[in-house]
């Protein structure tokens, strides 16, 4: 409930990144559920640097910097256990949190990818080739991943089923 007094102790945190064009209220039921079960939950607008819109754009470098900033701020301002930080994201946001985790971010304990679309899109597309390059350069193993994606064949999207081999270490 609003203005509830904080409980004592340190809590796990979750940074959530929405998809392209998403708003800060993306997946509110999921985020409220996690917050009601003891997580400090943070979402941001991940807006372009020009500040002309609140919609998310597809800039991995900026998203990675934003995630790092959010983690730093949540650890400074709230009773967060820095050893229990997770990431979640939807669509482009899922790709962005995977890119962050791939860049040897030791402070991430788990990643939840809600349909990053990489599982069924061709890697020749610029967004996915950038993510693939970042993941292949990871200097340490990825944290535990939970990948949720479309699992059936659908020729409308040009894929014949989900692929997960690019997550193998």
């Amino acid at each position: 409930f609003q203005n509830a007094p904080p409980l004592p102790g340190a809590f796990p945190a979750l940074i959530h990144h929405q998809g392209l064009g998403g708003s800060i209220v993306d997946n509110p039921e999921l985020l409220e559920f996690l917050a009601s079960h003891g997580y400090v939950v943070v979402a941001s607008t991940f807006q372009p640097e020009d500040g002309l819109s609140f919609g998310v754009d597809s800039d991995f470098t900026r998203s990675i910097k934003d995630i790092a900033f959010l983690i730093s701020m949540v650890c400074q301002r709230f009773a967060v256990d820095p050893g229990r930080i997770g990431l979640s994201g939807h669509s482009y946001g899922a790709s962005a949190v995977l890119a962050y985790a791939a860049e040897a971010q030791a402070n991430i304990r788990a990643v939840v990818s809600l349909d990053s679309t990489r599982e069924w899109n061709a890697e020749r597309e610029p967004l996915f080739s950038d993510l693939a390059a970042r993941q292949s350069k990871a200097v340490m193993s990825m944290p535990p991943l939970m990948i949720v994606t479309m699992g059936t064949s659908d020729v409308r999207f040009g894929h014949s089923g989900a692929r997960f081999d690019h997550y193998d270490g």
Side-chain angles (χ1 to χ4, degrees), residues 141-169:
S141 62
M142 295 279 283
L145 303 174
M146 183 172 109
I147 308 294
V148 179
T149 191
M150 183 185 321
T152 61
S153 299
D154 192 331
V155 294
R156 293 176 301 159
F157 297 110
H159 66 89
S160 59
R163 290 185 42 229
F164 301 96
D165 55 312
H166 44 266
Y167 296 112
D168 294 339

Side-chain angles (χ1 to χ4, degrees), residues 2-33:
Q2 190 172 6
N3 298 319
L7 295 172
F11 299 92
L14 177 81
I15 309 299
H16 180 75
H17 194 311
Q18 67 277 30
L20 286 178
S23 72
I24 196 168
V25 294
D26 188 44
N27 292 310
E29 294 83 6
L30 170 64
L31 303 182
E32 287 178 14
F33 175 82

Side-chain angles (χ1 to χ4, degrees), residues 117-118 120-126 128-129 158:
T117 69
R118 181 165 183 235
W120 47 268
N121 264 308
E123 289 187 6
R124 67 183 179 278
E125 294 180 29
F128 302 106
S129 61

Side-chain angles (χ1 to χ4, degrees), residues 55-114:
V56 176
D57 67 353
S58 58
D59 185 325
F60 278 138
T61 301
R62 185 170 37 259
S63 285
I64 288 170
K65 288 178 183 177
D66 287 348
I67 292 167
F69 172 79
L70 292 171
I71 290 170
S72 174
M73 292 309 297
V74 76
C75 288
Q76 290 175 25
R77 294 184 178 208
F78 300 99
V80 167
D81 178 349
R84 296 191 300 161
I85 296 174
L87 303 174
S88 69
H90 173 250
S91 192
Y92 166 76
S95 293
V97 298
L98 288 165
Y100 182 90
E103 299 212 353
Q105 305 301 329
N107 58 341
I108 300 304
R109 301 292 291 172
V111 176
V112 177
S113 168
L114 303 172

